[in-house]
Amino acid sequence: MYKDLNTSVRTLMTPGPVEAEPRVLRAMGTPVLGQFDPEFTEIMNETMAMLRAVFQTENQWAFPVDGTSRAGIEAVLGSIIEPGDRVLVPIYGRFGQLLTEIAERYGAEVVNIETGWGQVFDPQVVIQAMQQVKPKIVAMVHGETSTGCMQPLQAIGEACRALDILFVVDAVATLGGTAVKVDEWKIDAAIGGTQKCLSVPAGMAPLTFNSRIEAVLLARKKIERGLVEPDKYKLNQNRMIRSNYFDLSQLMDYWSPARLNHHTEATTMLYALREGLRIILEEGLEPRFARHAWHEKALIQGIQAMGLTLYGDPACKLPVVTAVSIPAGVDGEAVRRMLLEEFHIEIASSFGPLKGKIWRIGTMGYSCRQKNILHVLGALEAVLLWHGAAIPAGRAVQAALAVYRPQQSAL
Amino acid sequence: MYKDLNTSVRTLMTPGPVEAEPRVLRAMGTPVLGQFDPEFTEIMNETMAMLRAVFQTENQWAFPVDGTSRAGIEAVLGSIIEPGDRVLVPIYGRFGQLLTEIAERYGAEVVNIETGWGQVFDPQVVIQAMQQVKPKIVAMVHGETSTGCMQPLQAIGEACRALDILFVVDAVATLGGTAVKVDEWKIDAAIGGTQKCLSVPAGMAPLTFNSRIEAVLLARKKIERGLVEPDKYKLNQNRMIRSNYFDLSQLMDYWSPARLNHHTEATTMLYALREGLRIILEEGLEPRFARHAWHEKALIQGIQAMGLTLYGDPACKLPVVTAVSIPAGVDGEAVRRMLLEEFHIEIASSFGPLKGKIWRIGTMGYSCRQKNILHVLGALEAVLLWHGAAIPAGRAVQAALAVYRPQQSAL
């Protein structure tokens, strides 16, 4: 009735999901273990240790939530926001709006400041807003895939620490592709994504948080258990962490040696995450970030050699996503369709105010390799010429090759 | 630094996670597709169609939530419970307590009725409670893995429909192993589990709901969007579905032809679920349930031939979990440890009042096969004899063989 799964092999050059590492897919074929099997809990511990390394943190708590990236964001915000808490969310793209929505649903009074899409914030602007708003939490996106911009975080993190504000960072797009220095930047909680620079299929949200977050969680748990104000049940119900699934205090008990039963850990996804992290640590963080930057450079050279222009302020470009303005007179969706149908390449469209105005090309994880960069440039040139765009022929791939083979190009 | 994943191959005879179908693990090696790739949305549609068949429903809505089983339960309860709603949860084991906790966290006034562990409810008792409590929702567990009991649902479902109460059923343990007749039993929403009778790794929660649930979701969405009472923002914030990730109204938009962006679907887990469902439909529901019942019978014969007794009322036995009383003088955990270390078999301990009193042996999905039943019986007999238990030697496997080879046993 239903056929064997027999899909096309795509070249995925979007901001996620990207191509999974072949070693990751192989690791997923490993037989299932019980969740309390000593061999499995060892895998849990190894994964925590590797996550600490990738998040560049000494935090005790670093584990995945079993859900896609926004599940991790919701686990952090939902576990620390109590109704009425003030949360400052500076918005510079689509995913700042998501942080706002999640915080509001958990009862927060959210204060937004906004900057134009294609820009990021001067940290001083955020710090001034913090001083005025006096929030309990500042929540920000590190890499905005919607605009291809990346927000510098360190000055904001230091100001949060000085003002005793919790600093929550959505590092979904950046973790594993460019530096996310949790401790150095004074980030209290950060959330990554698997289907982006980790090159693991979607379905897990790795996160980390420090003792400042843990203190909030433990205080709420005390209230829930009636250890304080036991006569005020209604109040306590209102202050409970609203989600069971996303309750980080229960997840701490599950990921600690206590191993208190919560959900059944997603065995095969954890095998995948472990293998993806292992590949990253084998490559080394700095070499990996340099590799991403190198391929990004080749892509940019190729794009510009076609006479196309990049969208957004170059000073804050997100290294793993390149936003390209769709040339006047070109139907961006027709180009994307032809890329998919004839070249099996997927690049991304965009959201909201940028819909129809830019393409977004991801260079993340295993998708970020020379073969893919050259393929996408050659294909994009061919499709644009096919559609009658007035671009120079034969330059895009040459320009990228000049990045990859500098000696030859000098001849 | 970290070694290749190289785990032992276990015989998993717990109530989950169970062994994954080899075909499912192979399907997970399929390359990742983009979430809006036409090939991928076709896979989404096929999975929905197969879920309808397995849930035995004509419901339009049948899709997985990207999280483990309790994520699906929380998605349903969290999307329909508004603060102050009355929810009746009849409890006959651990997972009724979980339904209670989730409903309370979402602001419900939960009313519990309880029956002894090892029993289920006379449907009339539940119906009387419904008439008194007049809840908006009745939430019940179909198969309680904690006690090995299964609750008959049809009479309760019919009464719910007559009284205009929403009937939510946790079918995590039963879906794919024994009948879950959503439409015939008048269930408004049901949640299954992947890592149990579907033999797919943990990490997805398939669910289905009907137009009665959909009406509640759409009414809440209207409020959120300010389409009614736009001046009462605080009230509206309070009535919003509290979770973004678990908001079924957003998930409907994602799983419908509108394909509104929500999360990034967990590609590889969806490949796995599709393959697991395909295997079930190839086998056929009734033959599959009969197979489960047949192996259960062989297991029970073997257990009883050792002189061990089953826990719980046999009239309501859950066909896919067999609870066995630990004989006096035997250390249940030492037995489990030796089964794991020497035979690579995992059986389960239990929770709360049953801790140390019963073992729980799952016969679910791919784990439910003759080789495993004979292996676990032989191993359990050997380990009990090793520990000096006064049981007859050589009978357990023979008794199971008599189920598998009736002709020979008659000789």
Side-chain angles (χ1 to χ4, degrees):
Chain A
M1 184 164 64
Y2 291 95
K3 289 186 192 157
D4 256 0
L5 205 53
N6 185 18
T7 62
S8 299
V9 178
R10 305 296 201 196
T11 297
L12 297 178
M13 302 303 283
T14 68
V18 306
E19 299 169 35
E21 284 274 1
R23 275 175 54 184
V24 166
L25 294 181
R26 281 205 303 279
M28 297 180 89
T30 306
V32 169
L33 288 170
Q35 63 176 327
F36 298 116
D37 191 311
E39 290 191 13
F40 190 70
T41 53
E42 177 61 21
I43 290 168
M44 293 171 73
N45 290 342
E46 287 174 350
T47 305
M48 290 178 78
M50 288 193 273
L51 277 177
R52 286 184 201 108
V54 172
F55 275 118
Q56 302 191 52
T57 182
E58 303 287 322
N59 287 343
Q60 178 182 0
W61 301 112
F63 53 77
V65 166
D66 290 354
T68 66
S69 312
R70 67 175 62 198
I73 296 170
E74 186 162 326
V76 169
L77 291 178
S79 293
I80 61 175
I81 292 171
E82 294 185 38
D85 279 346
R86 205 170 298 161
V87 179
L88 175 67
V89 182
I91 294 183
Y92 63 104
R94 167 77 187 86
F95 291 96
Q97 294 171 350
L98 177 65
L99 293 177
T100 302
E101 186 196 323
I102 293 172
E104 282 185 343
R105 284 176 182 245
Y106 279 83
E109 286 185 25
V110 178
V111 178
N112 288 129
I113 55 174
E114 298 199 36
T115 188
W117 287 36
Q119 306 290 329
V120 295
F121 288 90
D122 175 347
Q124 288 309 316
V125 171
V126 178
I127 292 165
Q128 278 167 24
M130 282 158 53
Q131 287 161 338
Q132 284 164 16
V133 173
K134 301 191 195 315
K136 171 173 161 181
I137 298 158
V138 171
M140 280 200 91
V141 174
H142 184 210
E144 255 294 355
T145 54
S146 64
T147 64
C149 294
M150 183 165 74
Q151 173 69 50
L153 296 173
Q154 186 160 8
I156 300 169
E158 285 169 356
C160 280
R161 196 64 55 96
L163 295 165
D164 198 21
I165 293 167
L166 296 172
F167 189 34
V168 175
V169 170
D170 165 355
V172 169
T174 46
L175 188 72
T178 187
V180 178
K181 299 185 177 184
V182 167
D183 288 358
E184 191 177 322
W185 297 349
K186 305 279 187 284
I187 296 169
D188 293 303
I191 305 97
T194 51
Q195 78 278 14
K196 300 185 188 270
C197 301
L198 303 189
S199 275
V200 168
M204 275 197 161
L207 54 79
T208 187
F209 56 89
N210 63 17
S211 56
R212 283 158 47 89
I213 300 280
E214 186 179 352
V216 174
L217 302 174
L218 295 181
R220 291 189 80 176
K221 196 186 221 176
K222 242 179 169 174
I223 293 166
E224 279 168 36
R225 295 196 171 163
L227 297 178
V228 294
E229 309 178 292
D231 51 331
K232 295 179 183 163
Y233 178 73
K234 279 286 151 201
L235 174 70
N236 294 350
Q237 189 181 28
N238 196 36
R239 292 193 62 186
M240 265 182 169
I241 293 177
R242 287 177 167 184
S243 170
N244 166 282
Y245 193 70
F246 292 138
D247 180 341
L248 288 183
S249 71
Q250 292 194 39
L251 287 169
M252 280 161 52
D253 289 337
Y254 182 71
W255 284 88
S256 74
R259 302 275 170 221
L260 293 191
N261 192 49
H262 182 250
H263 63 289
T264 299
E265 184 54 19
T267 321
T268 304
M269 282 301 303
L270 192 71
Y271 293 161
L273 177 58
R274 179 189 181 279
E275 189 69 5
L277 294 171
R278 200 165 73 104
I279 290 168
I280 290 175
L281 296 179
E282 283 170 7
E283 184 173 5
L285 291 181
E286 291 306 326
R288 186 176 179 90
F289 302 153
R291 173 170 65 80
H292 277 81
W294 190 47
H295 292 300
E296 179 206 19
K297 186 178 172 193
L299 177 67
I300 290 174
Q301 293 298 314
I303 294 288
Q304 292 181 330
M306 277 186 270
L308 301 179
T309 55
L310 302 191
Y311 169 82
D313 181 353
C316 62
K317 186 180 176 301
L318 175 59
V320 296
V321 178
T322 297
V324 180
S325 297
I326 298 171
V330 170
D331 176 348
E333 284 307 286
V335 169
R336 291 209 318 125
R337 218 163 24 243
M338 192 165 171
L339 284 172
L340 189 72
E341 288 169 4
E342 305 302 337
F343 296 85
H344 287 285
I345 291 172
E346 188 179 350
I347 66 170
S349 58
S350 195
F351 303 99
L354 295 178
K355 202 169 177 181
K357 298 200 177 148
I358 64 169
W359 294 302
R360 297 175 304 138
I361 303 176
T363 44
M364 293 177 156
Y366 183 66
S367 279
C368 180
R369 57 194 202 276
Q370 185 169 335
K371 176 186 163 181
N372 283 7
I373 301 291
L374 297 176
H375 184 42
V376 76
L377 286 170
L380 185 58
E381 180 190 295
V383 172
L384 285 171
L385 289 172
W386 179 272
H387 280 83
I391 60 160
R395 294 211 192 141
V397 172
Q398 292 296 318
L401 282 173
V403 174
Y404 290 126
R405 301 177 77 110
Q407 287 86 354
Q408 283 85 339
S409 77
L411 294 179
Chain B
M1 185 161 65
Y2 291 95
K3 289 188 193 157
D4 256 0
L5 206 54
N6 185 18
T7 63
S8 299
V9 178
R10 306 295 201 196
T11 297
L12 297 179
M13 303 303 282
T14 68
V18 306
E19 298 168 36
E21 284 273 1
R23 275 175 55 184
V24 166
L25 294 182
R26 282 205 302 279
M28 296 181 89
T30 306
V32 169
L33 288 169
Q35 63 175 328
F36 298 115
D37 190 312
E39 289 191 13
F40 190 70
T41 53
E42 176 62 22
I43 289 169
M44 291 171 74
N45 290 342
E46 287 174 351
T47 305
M48 289 179 79
M50 288 193 274
L51 276 177
R52 286 183 201 107
V54 171
F55 275 118
Q56 302 192 51
T57 182
E58 303 287 322
N59 287 345
Q60 179 184 358
W61 302 112
F63 53 77
V65 166
D66 290 354
T68 66
S69 311
R70 67 175 63 196
I73 296 171
E74 186 163 326
V76 170
L77 291 178
S79 293
I80 61 176
I81 291 172
E82 294 185 37
D85 278 347
R86 203 170 300 161
V87 179
L88 175 66
V89 181
I91 293 181
Y92 63 103
R94 166 77 187 86
F95 291 96
Q97 294 171 348
L98 177 64
L99 294 176
T100 301
E101 185 195 324
I102 293 172
E104 282 185 344
R105 283 176 182 246
Y106 278 83
E109 286 184 24
V110 177
V111 178
N112 289 130
I113 54 173
E114 297 198 37
T115 188
W117 287 36
Q119 305 290 326
V120 296
F121 288 90
D122 175 344
Q124 287 311 314
V125 171
V126 178
I127 293 165
Q128 278 168 23
M130 284 158 52
Q131 287 162 337
Q132 284 165 14
V133 173
K134 300 191 197 314
K136 171 175 162 181
I137 299 157
V138 171
M140 280 199 91
V141 174
H142 185 211
E144 256 293 355
T145 55
S146 64
T147 63
C149 293
M150 183 164 75
Q151 174 69 50
L153 297 173
Q154 185 159 8
I156 300 169
E158 285 169 357
C160 280
R161 197 63 57 97
L163 294 165
D164 197 22
I165 294 168
L166 296 172
F167 189 33
V168 175
V169 170
D170 166 355
V172 169
T174 45
L175 187 73
T178 186
V180 178
K181 299 185 177 185
V182 167
D183 288 358
E184 191 176 323
W185 297 349
K186 304 279 187 284
I187 296 169
D188 293 302
I191 305 97
T194 52
Q195 77 278 16
K196 299 182 187 272
C197 301
L198 302 188
S199 277
V200 167
M204 276 199 158
L207 53 80
T208 186
F209 56 90
N210 63 16
S211 56
R212 283 157 46 88
I213 299 280
E214 185 179 353
V216 175
L217 302 174
L218 296 181
R220 292 188 80 176
K221 197 187 222 175
K222 242 179 169 171
I223 293 166
E224 280 168 32
R225 296 194 171 165
L227 297 177
V228 294
E229 309 177 292
D231 52 330
K232 296 181 184 164
Y233 177 74
K234 281 285 152 200
L235 175 71
N236 294 350
Q237 190 181 26
N238 197 35
R239 291 192 64 186
M240 266 183 168
I241 293 176
R242 289 178 168 183
S243 171
N244 165 281
Y245 192 71
F246 292 138
D247 180 342
L248 287 182
S249 73
Q250 292 195 39
L251 287 169
M252 280 162 53
D253 289 337
Y254 182 73
W255 284 87
S256 74
R259 302 275 171 219
L260 294 191
N261 192 48
H262 182 251
H263 63 290
T264 300
E265 183 54 20
T267 322
T268 305
M269 283 301 303
L270 192 72
Y271 293 161
L273 177 59
R274 178 188 181 280
E275 189 69 6
L277 295 170
R278 200 165 73 105
I279 291 168
I280 290 174
L281 296 178
E282 284 170 6
E283 183 173 7
L285 291 182
E286 291 306 327
R288 186 175 179 91
F289 303 153
R291 173 171 65 79
H292 277 82
W294 190 48
H295 292 300
E296 179 206 18
K297 185 177 170 192
L299 176 67
I300 292 175
Q301 293 298 314
I303 293 289
Q304 293 181 328
M306 278 185 269
L308 301 179
T309 55
L310 302 190
Y311 168 82
D313 181 354
C316 62
K317 185 180 176 303
L318 175 59
V320 295
V321 178
T322 298
V324 181
S325 297
I326 299 172
V330 170
D331 176 348
E333 285 307 285
V335 168
R336 290 208 319 125
R337 221 165 20 246
M338 191 165 173
L339 284 171
L340 189 71
E341 288 168 2
E342 306 301 339
F343 297 85
H344 286 285
I345 292 171
E346 189 179 349
I347 66 171
S349 58
S350 195
F351 303 99
L354 295 177
K355 201 167 175 181
K357 297 199 177 147
I358 64 169
W359 294 302
R360 298 174 303 137
I361 303 176
T363 44
M364 293 176 157
Y366 183 65
S367 280
C368 179
R369 57 194 203 274
Q370 184 170 335
K371 176 186 163 183
N372 282 6
I373 301 290
L374 296 176
H375 184 42
V376 75
L377 287 170
L380 185 58
E381 180 190 293
V383 173
L384 285 171
L385 289 172
W386 179 272
H387 280 84
I391 60 161
R395 292 207 194 144
V397 172
Q398 292 296 318
L401 282 172
V403 174
Y404 290 125
R405 302 177 78 108
Q407 289 85 354
Q408 282 85 338
S409 78
L411 293 178

